[in-house]
Amino acid sequence: MGEVVPSAVDNTTAAIAPATARGPESPWRSSLRQLRRNKASMAALGVLIFVTLICLCAPLYANDWAHVNAFSSNISGRIFLNGHWRSVIQANSSGYGESPIGPTWHISNYFLGADSQGRDVFARLLYGGRDSLLIGTASALICVFFATISGLAAGYFGGVIDWIVSRLLDITWAFPVYLLAISLSVILVTSGFSVGPIHVQAGSLLLPIIIIALIYVPYVARPLRGIVMTLKEREFIQAAIGSGASDWRILRKEILPNVAPSIIVFFPLMVAFNMLTESALSFLGVGVQPPNASWGTIINDGLELLYTRPWVAMAPGLMIVITAGALNLLGDGFRDAFDPKAKLRGSI
Amino acid sequence: MLSFTLRRVLSAVLVLFAISIAVFLIFFATPGVDPAARIAGRSASPATLAHVRAAFGLNRPIFIRYLLMMDHLFIKRDLTSYVNVGLKVVPQVLKAAPVTLALVSGAAVIWLVVGVLGGIVAAANRGKFIDPLVMFIGIAAVSVPAYWLGEVVNLITQSRLHSSLFWWVPSGGYVPFTQNPWQWALHLLFPWLTLAALYAGIYARVLRAELVNAMNEDYVRTARAKGLSERRILMKHALRCSLVSIVSLFGLDFGALIGGAALLTEVVFGLQGVGMLTYTSLQNLDLPVIMACVLYGSFFVVLANAVVDILYAFLDPRVRVA
Amino acid sequence: MLKFKSTRKLGVVTSALALTLTGLAGFSASPAGASSYQKAHAGGTLTLLASTAGGTLDPQVNYTLQYWQLYQATYDGLVTFQKVNGPASFTVVPDLATSLPKITNGGKTYTFTLRKGVKFSNGQTVTVNDVKASFIRLFKVSNPNSGSWYNAITGGDACVATPATCTLSGLVVNAATNTVTFNLAKVDPEFIDQLAVPFAAILPAGTPTKDEGSTPVPGTGAYTFQSYNPNSSLVMVRNPYFKVWNAKAQPQGYPNKIVENFGSTVESEVTAVENGQADWVFDPLPADRLGEISTKYASQLQVHQLTADWYVPMNTNIAPFNNLKARQAVNYAINKNNIVKLYGGSRLANTTCTILPKGFPGHTSFCGYTKGGGSKYNGPDIAKAKALVAASGTKGAVVKLVATNDAVNASVAQYIVSVLNQIGYKASVVLQSANIQFNYIQNTNNKVQISLTQWFQDYPAASDFINILLGCSTFHPGSDNSINIAGFCNSGVDAQIKAAETLSITNPTAANVKWGQIDKNLMTNFAPWVPLINPKLTDFVSSRVGNYKFSLEFYMYVDQLWVK
């Protein structure tokens, strides 16, 4: 990994060096500069910002532009298209079966057509993006948070703490990932979760967020633990310990900043990973619950219409590919800039 | 080395034990999962229900039920399903295992070949156009939800282009190799490609990163200074070192997939492997089958992890202390 | 539409059979009756597809339509439903008995004479001892209805209490005269029907007295089960010992082998039948293939009306639907035409406002909760619904609707939740696997306020719907088996039900009028449900299949299809 100068030296250098004298640049600055120069990563960042913005604008689109409600059923609804009123769900010409309308390609009028409840697919796609991105990001944050704590604790303190934490990580790691997620979801999603004062409603987004976050903790914690263990052997840490610094201070000032690049590199990858897992859980019916939308639930809705209205399933799938792809590219850029030798198992 | 191996094996066993308890607890707490009513059928009178409960040992305390289940699963090996009465669980898992094995092995061959080639091509041509192209394809492959890809493949081969390009594609399901090898391969072709797509992307990216790193190592610089060609350096020196991480990655992935991690692919293509069995039993809350499938899957993951760890310890003595 | 076996629920049926017993109807040979067997079409293997297996293969335990459809060809009872096309298939005819029973003692004694010379698929000859053993076995394997149907036989209650020592004293068999006599503890107008369903199949006396699960049990039918693996397939072959004794009760079959394969997705099943790789799909057809099937493969699609209800039971004992106005509001608010659309259009379902399905004995036409009133459904009345919700004081209540997670149920449930939100509740949907949901919504401990479910007739009798689903005797608080999901128990209505049942023994026509009145009373003054639609059944067969025949009781005759 890129040689990181201990932070103590950093601060003094930055404080002393006047603007004109070009002293050694902070590694963070140089990393950021390298990132900015990486065209692919910047493009990916642009895509991500764009996707996030349009998804955040979902209420604006639905209420003010397209005038649709993305959540309540609209089975007998009608829209005005090409001078005619048309039913949103129409009988097939043979008289058997009813199909929702296909894409109209008019940006404010059922752009991608309707789903089987007669709802505007494009509006749901935007709302779905909000939920998918929220779940992906929130669970990545929680995952990284817990992984950092457990990785640091296990790697730094060693001994019994390491043994307990490592065994817990092993158990979670060995439990086939999807199975653990599905099992927990099957149980918790129908009935909610209440332990003591903590009470989570069934159907709350908090449940998939926490479940997905927890199952991926070992994924991040194990490499972090390895890094911390290696770090601990380095002279500057030994020196700090020898000089009587408290564990807390060492962790905060010496270890954490050196682990931070790895964490940063992991983060976009975890967001992508978590989004994919959420979509798989929603596809299986144990993630986000209807009528809430996430890209996974829309794919699930779309699969029943796959043969006649493929866009309902294709659109959210493409959105997932674009967003996860951009996150992966960004992750690559982060790695190249911050921590080129990071061993990312699987890189998703 | 021996003590490390022993410690590793012991902790593996402990992990499996903990998982079995976790599965049992998770499913015991589900509301509406009282199997007695489902077994007894609708409109069963309370007396009938009580009889069924007693017959299945469903009215004993949790602790006893857990021990009974473990006894039936491992010692007597006659554990029966709650949903399909009288059907032994272990033979079901063993029957489903070859399907998963066939799916995963075929896909593994494809993804290893494609992934390693892709990684080599990208690393050998880094900086030129082909490098980011390969990486981009890899990223796209890695970002696609597996089940979605499977359904789209189905849509194209079964419906849209079925009468023109893909008339030869069978409509799903599994044909045993012993029954008809040609049909076996035909039925597995698209499942193989779908499953391999995801992993080929990963492996190409990982290998490229490893190769690029290795090319900057001292020993490679030495070889370069000695006048060896870039290609020779790449193929003979860098590759050998990089393959280590590929092999360990492969060990972990293969272990997980054999254990049933390909469940979405199996469900989408109608292959009755361990993944499909797990999925169905989870939907039916068939606790004995869930327990058997999860333990089966965990066993392979734990085994793969232990083997990889032991191999690393063998190769790198520093790790044994950890 | 229905996807999982357990959503095809069987109801209990009653007493139109009294008609046939008194010889008023049914014996008239139906024109669609036993056509002569055409040898040229015999042979070949029929391949059926189902996405999941149907549970145990034991005919005295299995309560799914998926396997009852197969049992027609493999098992026989003393009597059976006539195996012909059309409405005559509701008629009970003698099967292993030589004729319909002599009923004496005020309806409490049924005497049959057993047919001679019939053999099981294991070569053993059927004797009266097999009959006695089969009925005792019912109690020993904890048959779901042993405590509600077959305990009508004297000694039955004792058998339910302690099956191990069951002797069923009320069933007397005489090997010398080859007679079988049932002595009932009380008059049961449905007894003949209960003898005609597969539960009452006659099995060899030596059959183990526990649920045989996936081990096939020998039978007397034209076919026998060769093997069964719920995770892969089920195989039936011809019974080598079978000879036709009454073609209306157990006809000769056409295919040499019948295979049902499990595990594919419904979409790929449809594709397989389209490509001629399989012959029939058990599961309901996915909505997005209906258009394609009904145009390109129209001749292979069969549609039949079912006497069944899709309905929304509301828990009449807990908030907010313990309030009559709230229940009436929901009845006004749901647009049943939308439900028809979600099910697949007006060719596949009809709206219903009554508990008894159209075409069912006792059905009367009325529609209490529609715009403008009247006897036909005319759309919802949202304004009135909102007013009722406000008047009931339940506005803003948190409501959870429990439904199964297959495609059609899930979409209907989502629509209903949307409506509940529209009229002023805070509603959300809870989707569960079909294997859990049906018992979950019955158990009062789960505090289910409202759910979506279906009820199919077992045989044509009004009390099957009204007494079973809304009578006090089937409401068991705290039990997973309390089929009166609405938890409705009203002594006045119960008295009316008892009166109608008693009347049906002597005057079935008058009794049916009474049932109609009870239906109207229930919906108008109590509204425990929202009846939604009466569905139709779609069967999609491959192009090589011929001789499709449909029984109103057990639907398509599997063994009568020819593949050559």
Side-chain angles (χ1 to χ4, degrees):
Chain A
M1 93 181 198
E3 293 303 303
V4 177
V5 180
S7 54
V9 180
D10 243 0
N11 288 337
T12 43
T13 322
I16 295 174
T20 49
R22 294 255 170 233
E25 196 180 36
S26 131
W28 294 103
R29 276 257 185 81
S30 75
S31 299
L32 279 171
R33 178 122 58 87
Q34 194 176 341
L35 187 64
R36 263 195 304 251
R37 271 196 242 126
N38 186 334
K39 281 190 249 180
S41 297
M42 286 299 106
L45 191 61
V47 167
L48 280 172
I49 293 177
F50 176 68
V51 169
T52 312
L53 277 178
I54 59 168
C55 289
L56 284 176
C57 289
L60 219 65
Y61 173 79
N63 298 329
D64 301 324
W65 196 359
H67 303 291
V68 288
N69 183 327
F71 300 104
S72 54
S73 304
N74 190 24
I75 298 172
S76 318
R78 279 141 70 84
I79 59 168
F80 194 69
L81 192 64
N82 294 333
H84 303 287
W85 280 100
R86 290 181 58 190
S87 291
V88 162
I89 299 185
Q90 293 178 318
N92 294 335
S93 49
S94 66
Y96 290 99
E98 304 247 339
S99 301
I101 56 170
T104 63
W105 304 120
H106 292 219
I107 186 64
S108 61
N109 198 8
Y110 278 76
F111 182 58
L112 288 173
D115 67 6
S116 48
Q117 291 283 314
R119 302 174 294 209
D120 183 341
V121 173
F122 188 62
R124 279 180 74 75
L125 196 66
L126 297 180
Y127 274 107
R130 289 200 329 173
D131 277 2
S132 291
L133 288 168
L134 173 68
I135 294 177
T137 316
S139 56
L141 280 169
I142 296 176
C143 172
V144 163
F145 176 70
F146 281 111
T148 310
I149 293 181
S150 47
L152 252 59
Y156 185 75
F157 293 112
V160 175
I161 297 183
D162 181 18
W163 193 87
I164 295 178
V165 172
S166 293
R167 293 293 79 78
L168 282 175
L169 290 177
D170 277 352
I171 293 174
T172 322
W173 180 249
F175 210 125
V177 160
Y178 274 154
L179 290 191
L180 183 55
I182 297 173
S183 311
L184 289 170
S185 304
V186 160
I187 307 309
L188 298 175
V189 165
T190 28
S191 51
F193 177 72
S194 48
V195 160
I198 311 172
H199 186 83
V200 182
Q201 281 242 344
S204 154
L205 284 185
L206 210 55
L207 284 169
I209 290 177
I210 294 180
I211 291 175
I212 297 174
L214 288 179
I215 61 177
Y216 284 119
V217 165
Y219 192 92
V220 181
R222 279 155 67 117
L224 283 183
R225 168 180 173 275
I227 293 174
V228 171
M229 283 171 63
T230 323
L231 266 180
K232 207 168 145 211
E233 305 300 319
R234 298 277 300 279
E235 295 100 10
F236 68 92
I237 302 290
Q238 296 292 329
I241 297 175
S243 74
S246 75
D247 286 329
W248 175 242
R249 192 190 156 81
I250 295 178
L251 279 169
R252 195 164 52 93
K253 286 210 155 260
E254 314 289 347
I255 305 244
L256 197 54
N258 282 298
V259 169
S262 306
I263 299 179
I264 290 177
V265 171
F266 270 122
F267 187 73
L269 304 176
M270 293 318 296
V271 175
F273 224 168
N274 292 353
M275 275 181 51
L276 284 168
T277 307
E278 177 273 317
S279 83
L281 289 180
S282 298
F283 166 75
L284 293 172
V286 292
V288 174
Q289 296 295 300
N292 287 332
S294 84
W295 285 334
T297 64
I298 303 177
I299 294 182
N300 195 10
D301 291 340
L303 286 177
E304 296 135 36
L305 295 167
L306 197 61
Y307 281 74
T308 45
R309 300 280 177 254
W311 272 104
V312 184
M314 300 289 278
L318 282 173
M319 291 303 288
I320 294 179
V321 174
I322 291 173
T323 313
L327 283 165
N328 270 303
L329 263 177
L330 196 61
D332 270 5
F334 277 10
R335 190 197 54 225
D336 287 344
F338 290 101
D339 192 6
K341 283 208 184 148
K343 287 194 183 303
L344 303 166
R345 190 213 160 275
S347 309
I348 298 188
Chain B
M1 187 65 219
L2 188 64
S3 88
F4 178 81
T5 312
L6 279 174
R7 270 185 293 136
R8 202 59 196 75
V9 170
L10 180 65
S11 81
V13 171
L14 270 172
V15 166
L16 280 175
F17 176 63
I19 290 180
S20 73
I21 296 187
V23 172
F24 196 81
L25 284 177
I26 288 177
F27 290 98
F28 180 71
T30 316
V33 87
D34 177 24
R38 264 184 294 122
I39 298 168
R42 303 167 309 129
S43 308
S45 68
T48 310
L49 282 178
H51 278 296
V52 171
R53 243 183 228 115
F56 278 78
L58 299 171
N59 50 1
R60 321 267 293 269
I62 307 183
F63 182 54
I64 304 282
R65 284 173 54 184
Y66 171 77
L67 288 175
L68 274 176
M69 180 164 296
M70 290 297 117
D71 176 38
H72 283 294
L73 181 60
F74 290 114
I75 304 177
K76 296 213 189 79
R77 271 181 293 241
D78 65 352
L79 186 66
T80 54
S81 153
Y82 280 170
V83 170
N84 298 312
V85 174
L87 196 66
K88 294 214 176 59
V89 168
V90 173
Q92 285 305 301
V93 176
L94 292 177
K95 203 168 184 304
V99 179
T100 304
L101 187 64
L103 170 67
V104 172
S105 308
V109 168
I110 297 177
W111 93 55
L112 275 177
V113 167
V114 174
V116 167
L117 274 177
I120 293 178
V121 165
N125 296 298
R126 65 187 175 287
K128 299 192 212 137
F129 175 62
I130 231 186
D131 179 13
L133 180 68
V134 170
M135 285 302 100
F136 190 71
I137 296 178
I139 286 184
V142 139
S143 310
V144 169
Y147 58 90
W148 180 82
L149 183 62
E151 293 285 0
V152 170
V153 164
N154 266 342
L155 173 68
I156 297 176
T157 58
Q158 301 296 334
S159 167
R160 291 288 183 268
L161 296 178
H162 186 68
S163 25
S164 47
L165 213 58
F166 293 110
W167 52 269
W168 45 272
V169 179
S171 57
Y174 179 76
V175 174
F177 183 76
T178 45
Q179 186 179 316
N180 186 338
W182 173 241
Q183 282 296 318
W184 170 84
L186 206 60
H187 275 81
L188 282 174
L189 179 63
F190 281 100
W192 279 338
L193 291 174
T194 309
L195 188 59
L198 171 71
Y199 287 94
I202 297 175
Y203 281 57
R205 281 153 52 73
V206 168
L207 186 60
R208 179 209 174 270
E210 289 287 321
L211 281 174
V212 166
N213 275 335
M215 297 292 266
N216 292 328
E217 289 288 332
D218 289 338
Y219 70 89
V220 169
R221 277 195 234 138
T222 315
R224 215 179 268 132
K226 282 211 267 175
L228 288 172
S229 74
E230 282 296 304
R231 172 161 296 174
R232 206 174 149 79
I233 295 173
L234 183 70
M235 298 305 285
K236 284 214 82 156
H237 296 279
L239 194 59
R240 198 173 293 167
C241 293
S242 313
L243 278 181
V244 173
S245 27
I246 292 286
V247 167
S248 74
L249 197 60
F250 180 74
L252 298 174
D253 284 336
F254 194 73
L257 282 174
I258 293 282
L263 92 91
L264 290 168
T265 314
E266 286 180 16
V267 167
V268 164
F269 288 101
L271 301 166
Q272 282 136 311
V274 178
M276 166 88 95
L277 189 62
T278 316
Y279 174 67
T280 328
S281 64
L282 277 166
Q283 292 259 304
N284 294 338
L285 285 183
D286 191 354
L287 181 54
V289 181
I290 296 174
M291 178 68 85
C293 289
V294 172
L295 284 178
Y296 178 85
S298 310
F299 171 72
F300 281 100
V301 173
V302 168
L303 178 68
N305 268 293
V307 165
V308 167
D309 276 358
I310 292 175
L311 270 175
Y312 259 134
F314 183 66
L315 294 171
D316 184 354
R318 292 176 296 175
V319 178
R320 296 178 207 169
V321 184
Chain C
M1 298 182 87
L2 314 165
K3 270 194 181 172
F4 297 103
K5 47 120 175 148
S6 48
T7 59
R8 290 197 184 223
K9 313 226 176 11
L10 302 178
V12 172
V13 175
T14 62
S15 68
L17 285 304
L19 275 170
T20 56
L21 286 179
T22 52
L24 283 176
F27 278 108
S28 48
S30 102
S35 34
S36 52
Y37 185 72
Q38 296 176 46
K39 270 222 178 81
H41 289 290
T45 301
L46 182 72
T47 307
L48 315 172
L49 296 176
S51 62
T52 59
T56 173
L57 200 58
D58 192 320
Q60 293 192 320
V61 181
N62 187 291
Y63 207 175
T64 67
L65 266 172
Q66 184 172 356
Y67 288 167
W68 280 32
Q69 206 167 6
L70 303 177
Y71 293 156
Q72 296 316 298
T74 52
Y75 297 108
D76 296 286
L78 290 170
V79 293
T80 186
F81 292 99
Q82 199 175 198
K83 295 195 170 68
V84 294
N85 211 11
S89 53
F90 274 150
T91 308
V92 173
V93 297
D95 196 354
L96 288 178
T98 53
S99 61
L100 288 179
K102 251 203 324 266
I103 306 178
T104 50
N105 197 2
K108 293 217 269 200
T109 305
Y110 291 67
T111 310
F112 294 89
T113 310
L114 187 67
R115 206 177 282 275
K116 283 212 175 99
V118 181
K119 289 199 172 177
F120 288 110
S121 52
N122 59 5
Q124 295 171 4
T125 312
V126 181
T127 67
V128 291
N129 288 327
D130 296 311
V131 176
K132 173 109 186 183
S134 299
F135 278 90
I136 293 181
R137 185 175 184 274
L138 267 177
F139 296 93
K140 295 199 174 206
V141 298
S142 303
N143 174 283
N145 288 337
S146 52
S148 41
W149 288 0
Y150 301 104
N151 61 344
I153 306 172
T154 306
D157 282 324
C159 281
V160 172
T162 44
T165 54
C166 181
T167 51
L168 204 57
S169 51
L171 172 52
V172 177
V173 299
N174 187 331
T177 54
N178 223 20
T179 52
V180 174
T181 309
F182 290 91
N183 297 303
L184 303 187
K186 54 183 191 288
V187 178
D188 180 359
E190 305 165 23
F191 191 62
I192 269 284
D193 303 306
Q194 293 157 8
L195 291 181
V197 298
F199 284 154
I202 306 302
L203 311 172
T207 311
T209 53
K210 59 166 181 57
D211 182 347
E212 281 287 81
S214 26
T215 312
V217 177
T220 50
Y223 291 81
T224 180
F225 291 108
Q226 185 183 63
S227 68
Y228 176 48
N229 180 341
N231 289 320
S232 62
S233 64
L234 177 158
V235 178
M236 293 161 65
V237 294
R238 287 190 191 277
N239 177 355
Y241 299 97
F242 174 72
K243 290 191 202 8
V244 181
W245 59 84
N246 178 356
K248 286 212 187 117
Q250 183 65 256
Q252 183 63 277
Y254 287 98
N256 284 339
K257 194 167 166 185
I258 301 175
V259 176
E260 181 160 300
N261 289 323
F262 310 117
S264 336
T265 59
V266 189
E267 296 278 358
S268 57
E269 287 175 1
V270 170
T271 310
V273 172
E274 286 177 353
N275 295 341
Q277 290 156 332
D279 295 309
W280 177 69
V281 175
F282 165 74
D283 308 87
L285 301 174
D288 67 330
R289 308 297 287 277
L290 279 171
E292 173 193 339
I293 294 173
S294 57
T295 43
K296 275 175 77 179
Y297 304 95
S299 57
Q300 297 166 229
L301 180 66
Q302 303 275 350
V303 180
H304 291 272
Q305 180 68 53
L306 296 177
T307 39
D309 280 345
W310 276 55
Y311 68 102
V312 176
M314 292 175 278
N315 193 330
T316 55
N317 299 313
I318 60 176
F321 298 115
N322 50 359
N323 182 316
L324 173 64
K325 289 207 169 71
R327 301 199 295 271
Q328 290 176 323
V330 180
N331 265 288
Y332 270 114
I334 295 180
N335 186 344
K336 303 186 211 233
N337 291 322
N338 282 353
I339 310 281
V340 168
K341 268 184 162 225
L342 289 172
Y343 191 80
S346 52
R347 287 235 192 144
L348 292 179
N350 303 102
T351 62
T352 179
C353 303
T354 60
I355 294 171
L356 297 173
K358 225 169 289 195
F360 214 64
H363 171 84
T364 56
S365 265
F366 64 90
C367 200
Y369 300 101
T370 181
K371 204 169 196 143
S375 70
K376 279 184 62 183
Y377 187 68
N378 198 20
D381 193 338
I382 297 284
K384 201 153 186 181
K386 285 187 178 165
L388 278 167
V389 170
S392 70
T394 56
K395 190 169 177 152
V398 172
V399 173
K400 286 200 183 5
L401 183 140
V402 181
T404 56
N405 59 9
D406 57 285
V408 178
N409 271 289
S411 62
V412 170
Q414 282 197 54
Y415 166 65
I416 296 177
V417 160
S418 186
V419 169
L420 290 172
N421 279 316
Q422 196 184 0
I423 59 176
Y425 293 111
K426 287 200 183 39
S428 58
V429 65
V430 174
L431 294 177
Q432 300 178 334
S433 155
N435 256 289
I436 318 173
Q437 188 255 11
F438 190 56
N439 291 115
Y440 186 83
I441 59 178
Q442 294 179 58
N443 195 331
T444 52
N445 291 339
N446 296 320
K447 299 206 176 31
V448 175
Q449 301 156 299
I450 182 172
S451 52
L452 172 66
T453 185
Q454 298 84 38
W455 189 253
F456 292 74
Q457 51 115 88
D458 273 340
Y459 37 91
S463 83
D464 183 28
F465 278 77
I466 297 183
N467 187 27
I468 294 295
L469 300 177
L470 293 165
C472 293
S473 63
T474 51
F475 177 45
H476 302 297
S479 156
D480 265 15
N481 280 282
S482 167
I483 193 60
N484 181 341
I485 300 170
F488 179 77
C489 179
N490 177 290
S491 48
V493 174
D494 241 40
Q496 287 183 310
I497 292 175
K498 293 277 182 303
E501 285 191 319
T502 318
L503 188 57
S504 67
I505 303 170
T506 49
N507 189 348
T509 326
N512 280 335
V513 173
K514 264 207 161 18
W515 285 119
Q517 288 166 347
I518 299 176
D519 191 348
K520 191 161 185 177
N521 180 21
L522 275 168
M523 283 311 300
T524 317
N525 299 319
F526 299 98
W529 290 4
V530 185
L532 296 174
I533 56 171
N534 298 136
K536 294 197 180 131
L537 183 69
T538 48
D539 276 326
F540 181 44
V541 293
S542 68
S543 51
R544 68 170 184 164
V545 160
N547 200 31
Y548 176 93
K549 286 212 166 40
F550 191 81
S551 158
L552 295 178
E553 177 61 27
F554 300 117
Y555 311 152
M556 183 182 82
Y557 289 114
V558 171
D559 66 330
Q560 294 300 300
L561 297 174
W562 62 54
V563 290
K564 281 172 82 166

